[in-house]
Amino acid sequence: MSGLIEVIFETEPENETPMERLWQSAEPVDPGHPALRRFPISPKDCRQMGSALLIPLRDRSGTISAIACAEPNGAVMLLPPRPPLTVRAVFGDGDPQYLTYLGLEDACRFHRMTGRTLAWCPDRDRAFEVCSQDKDASSGSSTVLIVPANDRHLLPEPFMEGDQLAVPPRGLDWFEMSRSQVEFCLSDHELVVPETALSPRFTVRQSGLWCGDPALEASAQRVGGPIFAAALCRDDAGQWFHRLLFRTFDRDWRHLLVPAAAMRLKPRQVIADLISAGYELDFHSETEDLLLEHLRGSNVSRKLNIIERTGWQEGSYVADDRTFGRADMIHRALAQGPARHPPPPNASQWQTHLKPLMEGNSRLVLAACASLAAAAIGLLPEMGSFGIHLVGQSSSGKSTLLRFAASIWGDPAVEVKAWDATAAGLEGLAAAHNHRLLVLDELAQLDPRQAAEAAYRLGNGRGRSRGDGRGKFVQPLSWQTVFLSSGEITLAQKVAEWSAAPQRQDGEAVRIMDVDADAGQGLGIYDTLNGYENGAALSEAVTSACGAFHGGPALAFLSTVARDPEGSARYLRERRAAFLSHFLPAGASGVVRRGYGNFGLLAAAGELAIRHGVLSMAANTVQEAIALCAESWSRTQDVPQPDSLVGFKTRLAELLPNLPEWETATADAPGYRRGSKVYLTATAWADLCGETGSLSLARILAQQGALERQQGRFQSVHRHPVHGSPTRYYVLEIALIVLPVV
């Protein structure tokens, strides 16, 4: 390995580079040049031009690729000026390379002391980027990023890039140390957490927590695994916690929240909780006291606010695994548990594989826009929650639409939920999806009464007020979101199965809006097949791509919107108003206007995603696709609500002519007629109800006065005049039931 400081640039195509010519034109250096006192370089290796000391930087072929110009006042300029990104570490023979952003003077000293080959990068951010890139491409070789003492506070948390960082011991410069100490610090890196100053007695290295510093003191004592008091946290209730960061027995990093009071008043419990969570504490008589001294003596200036739910908070979006915006806000799920380093937002794979399938298909565009609108709605506090209910026959492709929408946020196998839950369960689910897409499949699974309550509460954005076990008021759950659902019937048809369902109000039509999943082109949910043989083949391709490439678009959308939430909110309002101006039918009712306002948000969210490069399509394509879906919904507003008794009345009209009279019938008849009343056995009643719930129909008829009730029961006991035994019957008053003409 060459003993040179290597600054690697793209070489010039000509034999003699401009830097070579500049070097040849320079004069021998003045041995008394002030810069020579700072650089451990022999005068014969330098030259001088005017007052500037010229230091050559050669590539691996020995060609001068760049020259560092050091002025007497200490300023250093690199010629030719190139972006820091052109500097990279070079790997060879599997040996480690050392990347430094110490600056040229320190890099020269470090090389002279250690004999190591260095790749110099004077910019910290680019140095991290280059170091990360080279680590990925090194085929097992490791890169150590050498950090100056005065930049310790700028380092990321150790579980992120701890194996790539080397910092000098506190209070020392790299070049105040012996070569053996430098070698030790490179082999057993010190770990640093931002905004945390340790007690002078303790050092945290890859090898663990030490009382003393093994790089400087032979008597240093190991206390346990690496651990930090990383931050102070406050939750919504005003309670304070210490956020501890430590490495577990299996060498993973995790966080633990410890109440501030426990740290002071119950220290042994804190140690017990740490050990239970996997912290490795050495077995020595003093280790427990030393650990507590380390945690209590750390000066932590980093303060975090623990957020209990996801969504937009004060201009930042708080997700359960990261925060877009303010660095001092963190979700409780991230405040404790495994220390995560989520990948950066990247929508390119989703775009590559799923965007071509979406082109020209209005229902897929609707699904994508609704998914993004679930986050965008949080920027518009004046808007209420609403849902899009996709209605279609079995195997028509509804589930494919839901999986497509879910893939924008994550794995569809996890993101798609079922309607089959109580209203209280759906409240909790909706609250967990505040400003995040909620996907519910198969409305038919839901009980009709629960459907009525769920429809109202999901769209209302607020749960029911409740009390705890002691009767104390509990703040109800709340949320603001856009949700997608599917079913073979509309919500109104499902709710109509509940006998006590209240009359549907106009506002409910815009809380959950029914859209025909069929695009009307004879291809099911598709307007075009985009080269596939049939809809089934296209659905299979969509499903496969959703399972393999998911989660990127929502993260990329949030990342860009969080940079300017106020500007994004203004843009959403402007584009929503433009959609209404262009597509709202003339003379539309208030309900239709409100519904088109919801669809306008979907179109605006799609256009905002296009503006930020998250979706790559024409804005007018999004508007036209959403307008088609809005038209499909508006047509349903002129359809009368279904009558839940239609089937029952038809079957009853067919049965009546075949029923014998009460006074003359035998005991095996399904029912009897007695004036304007009909006595039905339980079997006959069940046949009349069909697939509709018998209890719900009984309630409807009882409310209308058409079903006789006895002691609160829907069945009445009567003694038959022929066979004489008392029997329970459903007694109907025919005069109060309007029967169809059969």
Side-chain angles (χ1 to χ4, degrees), residues 8 89 114 138 212 228 247 309 459 466 612:
I8 310 302
T114 64
S138 63
F228 296 91
R247 195 173 64 198
R309 66 174 184 171
R466 295 180 175 88
H612 290 310

Side-chain angles (χ1 to χ4, degrees), residues 220-343:
Q221 178 185 354
R222 188 178 187 273
V223 179
I227 184 170
F228 296 91
L232 288 170
C233 303
R234 181 176 58 187
D235 64 11
D236 290 344
Q239 301 296 312
W240 284 90
F241 300 84
H242 292 275
R243 190 190 192 205
L244 306 183
L245 173 66
F246 58 94
R247 195 173 64 198
T248 63
F249 289 109
D250 54 8
R251 306 192 67 80
D252 290 331
W253 288 89
R254 69 168 295 164
H255 289 106
L256 182 69
L257 286 180
V258 175
M263 183 71 79
R264 182 67 61 183
L265 304 177
K266 298 180 180 179
R268 302 302 169 187
Q269 184 61 50
V270 172
I271 293 177
D273 291 343
L274 278 169
I275 295 174
S276 297
Y279 178 66
E280 174 195 3
L281 184 64
D282 285 3
F283 289 95
H284 298 292
S285 58
E286 299 179 347
T287 52
E288 292 184 10
D289 292 333
L290 289 174
L291 174 60
L292 289 171
E293 182 184 347
H294 161 64
L295 295 177
R296 289 171 171 171
S298 297
N299 185 4
V300 181
S301 58
R302 188 181 188 186
K303 294 181 175 61
L304 301 175
N305 294 309
I306 299 177
I307 307 301
E308 301 295 339
R309 66 174 184 171
T310 61
W312 291 100
Q313 312 273 346
E314 300 179 19
S316 298
Y317 188 92
V318 180
D320 57 6
D321 65 342
R322 70 189 84 195
T323 298
F324 298 97
R326 286 174 47 181
D328 63 340
M329 303 177 74
I330 188 171
H331 193 270
R332 183 174 288 275
L334 187 59
Q336 58 186 352
R340 308 170 188 172
H341 185 204

Side-chain angles (χ1 to χ4, degrees), residues 338-641:
R340 308 170 188 172
H341 185 204
N346 186 353
S348 60
Q349 288 188 325
W350 190 95
Q351 288 269 30
T352 300
H353 294 87
L354 283 161
K355 185 259 181 180
L357 308 180
M358 179 174 58
E359 288 182 344
N361 286 304
S362 60
R363 269 50 179 180
L364 290 178
V365 173
L366 172 74
C369 291
S371 187
L372 296 171
I377 195 174
L379 300 174
L380 306 178
E382 69 273 14
M383 288 205 66
S385 297
F386 64 92
I388 304 294
H389 180 63
L390 300 165
V391 185
Q393 296 301 313
S394 178
S395 302
S396 62
K398 303 185 304 297
S399 296
T400 301
L401 290 175
L402 297 188
R403 285 191 288 268
F404 181 80
S407 71
I408 289 180
W409 286 89
D411 187 351
V414 177
E415 295 292 331
V416 178
K417 314 296 183 183
W419 267 109
D420 187 13
T422 63
L426 286 174
E427 286 181 14
L429 196 59
H433 287 74
N434 181 59
H435 302 161
R436 192 180 193 282
L437 179 68
L438 173 60
V439 184
L440 298 169
D441 198 7
E442 288 303 331
L443 177 65
Q445 298 176 2
L446 192 61
D447 178 83
R449 177 171 180 172
Q450 299 290 349
E453 294 188 17
Y456 176 78
R457 298 197 184 282
L458 283 179
N460 192 41
R462 189 175 182 84
R464 177 181 293 177
S465 298
R466 295 180 175 88
D468 59 14
R470 295 171 294 179
K472 185 178 179 180
F473 174 74
V474 177
Q475 189 70 26
L477 298 174
S478 61
W479 56 88
Q480 184 191 27
T481 190
V482 175
F483 55 95
L484 275 177
S485 73
S486 70
E488 296 182 26
I489 59 176
T490 67
L491 178 70
Q493 290 170 323
K494 187 64 181 179
V495 172
E497 297 176 7
W498 176 34
S499 61
Q503 184 68 30
R504 191 185 189 200
Q505 302 297 317
D506 288 342
E508 295 180 28
V510 295
R511 287 196 175 100
I512 299 185
M513 301 185 294
D514 299 318
V515 174
D516 194 344
D518 193 314
Q521 303 298 321
L523 302 173
I525 63 173
Y526 304 110
D527 300 272
T528 178
L529 296 178
N530 289 323
Y532 285 83
E533 182 179 355
N534 50 48
L538 179 52
S539 291
E540 184 177 347
V542 171
T543 300
S544 176
C546 289
F549 311 102
H550 47 255
L555 297 180
F557 183 71
L558 292 170
S559 177
T560 54
V561 171
R563 296 170 191 164
D564 183 17
E566 295 181 357
S568 297
R570 287 194 300 271
Y571 183 84
L572 288 170
R573 291 188 177 96
E574 291 171 1
R575 299 315 302 159
R576 179 171 174 259
F579 179 88
L580 285 171
S581 174
H582 191 67
F583 293 104
L584 180 66
S589 66
V591 171
V592 172
R593 176 176 290 275
R594 287 176 57 190
Y596 265 75
N598 290 343
F599 283 106
L601 174 64
L602 305 190
E607 291 182 72
L608 183 60
I610 293 171
R611 186 186 192 190
H612 290 310
V614 178
L615 294 179
S616 55
M617 59 177 64
N620 64 321
T621 301
V622 169
Q623 294 175 350
E624 292 169 1
I626 299 301
L628 284 174
C629 298
E631 183 182 354
S632 171
W633 166 79
S634 66
R635 288 195 297 265
T636 66
Q637 301 312 298
D638 299 326
V639 178
Q641 298 301 317

Side-chain angles (χ1 to χ4, degrees), residues 96-113:
Q97 298 290 302
Y98 296 90
L99 179 71
T100 175
Y101 68 97
L102 294 166
L104 183 62
E105 177 182 356
D106 290 341
C108 291
R109 280 180 158 178
F110 194 95
H111 163 66
R112 185 180 182 89
M113 181 171 56

